[in-house]
Amino acid sequence: MSAAHPLSMLSAEEVLIAKQVTTQAGDLGEGAVVVHVILVEPSKESLAAWSQGDPVLRTVKMLVLPGAELTMIELLISVSEERVLERKLIEGMRPALLMGESFIAMLACKEHPDYIAAMARRGIVDLEHVQIDPWPAGAFGFAAEEGRRIARCISFVRLTADDNGYARPVEGLLVHVDLGTGEVIEVIDHAQLDGVDPIPVPQTPARYGPDDVGPLRTDLKPISITQPEGASFTVEDNLVSWQKWSLRIGWDPYEGLVLHDLGYFDSGRVRKILHRASISEMVVPYGDPGPVQGWKNAFDAGEWGLGRMTQSLTLGCDCLGEIYYMDATMATEQGDAWVVPNAICMHEEDYGIGWKHVDLLTGRHEVRRSRRLVISHIATVGNYEYGFFWYLYLDGNIQMEAKLTGIMSSQGLPDSEPHPFAGRIASGVVAPVHQHLFCARLDFDVDGEENRVEEVHVETMPAGPDNPWGNGFAAHAQLLERESGAKWQTDSASSRSWRVTNPGVLNGLNRPVGYKLVPTMSTPTLMARPESSVARRAGFAQHNLWVTPFDSEELRAAGEFPNQHEGGAGLPEWTAADREIVDTDIVLWYTFGITHIPRPEDWPVMPVEYTGFMLMPFGFFDRNPALDVPPSPPGHCAPDHSAPGNGAPGHCG
Ligand code: NI
């Protein structure tokens, strides 16, 4: 079955064809593991040239790991022609961590005599419910890292199979496992090395199920979202149309959701805004400099995969209202199709008022409701959950919101010990200070490919004859000409934003059409020192904004293979060329996130914390594009539902 459109999502059939072709080519022998099968997106030229009814030629990239060595085979496969187009060896790099190998690593730890002995020194002899978390290793120059793919494994004690193990971190015990051979390289017991007693395993339970947390509140009345005429969006294949928006939904094992070909219908045509938007990479560096916690940093996109770790969503729980779900198709490590049902959730949300004014002279009152289309997925990466929510609004705004929840990485520390790099979250348990830094890749095509970027900030005018009252301030825009001048930090004091314009297309006021990127919340950059291992590897996180000229090969902000990579790849490497970025096809990279200072309220499971950014039209339209939203019919109040005792007139519907 052939795809309907060059940007249709990868299908199970295509994965199977790729497997057959690779098997026939002899590259999927005994012990070989498939790392991923990814749709190769069509070039902008071929996409523009394609029209309905033309043949759809589909190509995928398959990455195969033949064995324990640091060699991978990347195959470019035409699934339309069922043949290998290109085969290349990738030497010296490590793929993202693999599920099969991770499970083998867990078992290997539990069987190793040094591990059993170290656990016994902590009074743990029954290892049945011990939970072992394999972490990406980073690059610290340990002998164990050399020439191998490794994981650093840390342990937690569950009392039962479904317990929350993060309540009982086994402190000071680290196991290096060779993922290629499945063998334990070394068991490092920091307590033994330091000649001290091990930190006791904390005993405070941290279960959070409805049966564990005490009486549940009983005064929450139902909120029902009803859309009696259905949702206002349509989906055909992966083409979504909602109000004046149109886009295609895509999926990548590392980025998760991808928005393609995002445009807004205006003046009789769809005006393109973004060719492609995604979360390209993210990093979670920890602030504790000690040997037990200091190696902790995770590139949850490139080392695990926001797509690979995505879980199915549940109606009524994850998503409320008239939901349209889409499945995500990837490849298993055996090369078979792996479909995550209900991976992507799409629905509309009422979002309060969109605009309003009351004419105080006449009492005339005009108000319109705001509404947004929500496109989301949620990845569970080990202890943490990341929800990625893209919102499209009636007024042309586009928003990305990341929702952070799940369980913090915990550390055992007696209550009497100081904890300068961690927050006390329970008796015997602290959580190290850390950051979550996401990098969005935004391939803007604002009314076409030839765009430029300006940094915009507001300046207070100097005192003088031009500013006699001292009140003067004005917005200043400076054109970003080359990559070297396009590395920026946010600055809320000067209201800094970045504007993408197309000087070749003028609006009705004779100004170039544009969109601006607005940091909607304060956002840090990487706290680690620039010469540190994690800063070299997460170069993208040293600046909030980067601009590059479009290159189809430049997709992942920390490079293609961040796992155990020594650093420098991705944005720092590409922008070292200092290419021109004026009136060409440009890509904005925006790093945003939070510095998480753990608090008791984040335990045992963390209430959602939000971070993100907004893309707002800036002269893309000639006036408020939501003027044509019709007034909502007025509701009525129902006194019979009046809340008892508060004298209120009742609820209004
Ligand atoms: Ni956190």
Side-chain angles (χ1 to χ4, degrees):
M1 203 182 75
S2 63
H5 185 274
L7 282 174
S8 291
M9 290 170 85
L10 184 70
S11 69
E13 290 86 343
E14 290 172 327
V15 174
L16 289 179
I17 291 171
K19 180 181 182 178
Q20 283 159 13
V21 170
T22 312
T23 307
Q24 280 159 16
D27 279 330
L28 262 190
E30 184 80 18
V33 173
V34 174
V35 179
H36 61 233
V37 174
I38 298 177
L39 178 71
V40 176
E41 293 166 16
S43 68
K44 291 194 183 189
E45 297 73 33
S46 72
L47 200 57
W50 188 86
S51 49
Q52 198 69 43
D54 289 353
V56 179
L57 295 176
R58 301 266 282 184
T59 305
V60 300
K61 210 190 266 182
M62 183 189 261
L63 186 66
V64 176
L65 188 63
E69 292 75 34
L70 298 190
T71 302
M72 294 183 281
I73 307 168
E74 189 176 77
L75 298 130
L76 205 59
I77 299 162
S78 165
V79 287
S80 309
E81 297 166 6
E82 303 195 10
R83 66 188 181 94
V84 176
L85 301 174
E86 208 180 291
R87 179 184 189 276
K88 77 175 179 200
L89 290 184
I90 298 170
E91 304 277 4
M93 295 290 151
R94 284 95 167 166
L97 277 84
L98 297 159
M99 311 297 162
E101 292 184 351
S102 298
F103 280 109
I104 290 169
M106 294 174 199
L107 297 176
C109 288
K110 287 191 186 183
E111 284 167 5
H112 198 275
D114 293 351
Y115 181 81
I116 294 168
M119 290 297 271
R121 284 195 288 277
R122 289 160 173 80
I124 305 155
V125 286
D126 180 1
L127 302 186
E128 186 189 349
H129 297 311
V130 168
Q131 167 192 337
I132 293 172
D133 285 10
W135 273 63
F140 294 95
F142 286 91
E145 297 164 13
E146 196 60 39
R148 294 189 178 103
R149 298 184 285 110
I150 72 162
R152 299 194 209 283
C153 294
I154 53 177
S155 306
F156 303 88
V157 178
R158 296 183 180 212
L159 299 185
T160 55
D162 68 346
D163 194 11
N164 176 6
Y166 297 108
R168 293 177 211 84
V170 178
E171 205 51 40
L173 182 58
L174 188 61
V175 187
H176 289 159
V177 181
D178 184 328
L179 293 168
T181 62
E183 285 164 7
V184 170
I185 306 165
E186 56 188 336
V187 176
I188 304 170
D189 184 344
H190 283 280
Q192 196 184 31
L193 289 175
D194 298 345
V196 297
D197 289 338
I199 289 171
V201 175
Q203 294 304 319
T204 316
R207 295 175 63 99
Y208 48 84
D211 300 332
D212 308 311
V213 294
L216 300 177
R217 45 184 96 184
T218 55
D219 52 354
L220 273 175
K221 304 225 166 84
I223 291 180
S224 305
I225 310 293
T226 56
Q227 291 176 270
E229 296 171 38
S232 314
F233 60 90
T234 59
V235 185
E236 204 177 317
D237 186 23
N238 62 339
L239 175 65
V240 180
S241 307
W242 178 72
Q243 291 299 300
K244 300 184 177 186
W245 292 100
S246 76
L247 74 153
R248 282 189 183 269
I249 305 290
W251 190 260
D252 178 272
Y254 305 102
E255 300 167 292
L257 248 177
V258 180
L259 309 187
H260 293 288
D261 225 356
L262 179 70
Y264 192 95
F265 188 83
D266 178 52
S267 311
R269 66 187 200 284
V270 175
R271 298 175 59 195
K272 198 156 161 176
I273 299 162
L274 285 160
H275 181 72
R276 191 182 189 282
S278 65
I279 299 297
S280 159
E281 188 52 270
M282 63 167 295
V283 65
V284 191
Y286 284 73
D288 185 329
V292 180
Q293 300 283 336
W295 55 270
K296 272 189 182 172
N297 60 68
F299 291 64
D300 285 340
E303 290 178 334
W304 283 113
L306 304 176
R308 292 164 80 212
M309 307 309 279
T310 283
Q311 308 294 314
S312 297
L313 299 167
T314 311
L315 187 62
C317 307
D318 296 298
C319 328
L320 208 54
E322 284 287 315
I323 304 298
Y324 186 94
Y325 286 115
M326 292 177 85
D327 300 343
T329 301
M330 293 170 282
T332 66
E333 289 170 10
Q334 291 70 47
D336 297 313
W338 168 28
V339 180
V340 180
N342 297 357
I344 303 166
C345 169
M346 251 185 295
H347 72 288
E348 288 174 288
E349 273 177 7
D350 180 278
Y351 197 61
I353 59 162
W355 58 264
K356 175 183 170 85
H357 185 60
V358 178
D359 183 327
L360 292 177
L361 290 184
T362 63
R364 181 176 170 162
H365 168 216
E366 293 286 352
V367 59
R368 302 293 182 273
R369 299 297 298 171
S370 172
R371 193 188 282 209
R372 62 187 186 184
L373 179 69
V374 185
I375 308 163
S376 68
H377 74 108
I378 302 177
T380 301
V381 188
N383 49 301
Y384 239 77
E385 259 74 12
Y386 297 105
F388 296 96
F389 288 69
W390 290 93
Y391 303 120
L392 305 177
Y393 293 84
L394 297 173
D395 60 5
N397 282 354
I398 303 162
Q399 187 183 358
M400 153 43 62
E401 185 173 69
K403 299 187 185 185
L404 286 68
T405 179
I407 304 179
M408 290 182 298
S409 184
S410 57
Q411 177 183 355
L413 194 70
D415 293 349
S416 56
E417 300 270 328
H419 43 89
F421 310 105
R424 174 73 58 196
I425 51 172
S427 181
V429 190
V430 297
V433 63
H434 60 276
Q435 298 188 287
H436 303 262
L437 298 169
F438 306 86
C439 186
R441 180 182 180 277
L442 304 166
D443 180 357
F444 275 96
D445 282 4
V446 178
D447 265 333
E449 288 178 13
E450 297 199 350
N451 290 175
R452 50 168 65 188
V453 187
E454 293 163 322
E455 182 267 348
V456 182
H457 66 275
V458 179
E459 269 179 33
T460 300
M461 281 177 69
D466 293 340
N467 187 19
W469 296 333
N471 65 299
F473 62 88
H476 292 265
Q478 63 164 310
L479 178 66
L480 307 185
E481 295 182 17
R482 310 191 79 93
E483 291 176 303
S484 59
K487 300 173 185 181
W488 289 91
Q489 318 297 86
T490 59
D491 180 22
S492 55
S494 72
S495 300
R496 179 174 286 149
S497 66
W498 297 275
R499 194 188 292 162
V500 182
T501 63
N502 184 338
V505 180
L506 302 182
N507 62 24
L509 306 171
N510 228 20
R511 305 293 307 153
V513 296
Y515 254 77
K516 66 173 179 176
L517 191 165
V518 185
T520 46
M521 300 175 206
S522 77
T523 185
T525 46
L526 195 75
M527 296 302 300
R529 294 189 60 80
E531 70 276 14
S532 66
S533 168
V534 67
R536 279 185 276 117
R537 300 176 60 233
F540 70 88
Q542 302 208 37
H543 303 287
N544 294 113
L545 186 93
W546 305 67
V547 185
T548 58
F550 172 83
D551 181 330
S552 61
E553 297 293 307
E554 296 178 2
L555 279 176
R556 311 202 191 276
E560 198 63 30
F561 301 108
N563 186 15
Q564 285 184 253
H565 196 283
E566 64 190 15
L571 280 168
E573 184 183 335
W574 305 326
T575 58
D578 201 15
R579 296 166 293 187
E580 278 188 47
I581 48 172
V582 181
D583 300 342
T584 184
D585 190 1
I586 48 99
V587 177
L588 267 67
W589 306 74
Y590 183 62
T591 300
F592 64 98
I594 61 167
T595 299
H596 188 171
I597 305 163
R599 51 181 190 141
E601 291 86 346
D602 292 333
W603 189 252
V605 60
M606 183 184 149
V608 167
E609 184 158 358
Y610 303 86
T611 178
F613 61 89
M614 188 79 95
L615 308 176
M616 299 169 79
F618 195 100
F620 189 76
F621 303 104
D622 296 343
R623 56 181 192 165
N624 178 353
L627 288 179
D628 59 353
V629 174
S632 307
H636 61 278
C637 294
D640 53 313
H641 285 94
S642 149
N646 65 1
H651 87 261
C652 298

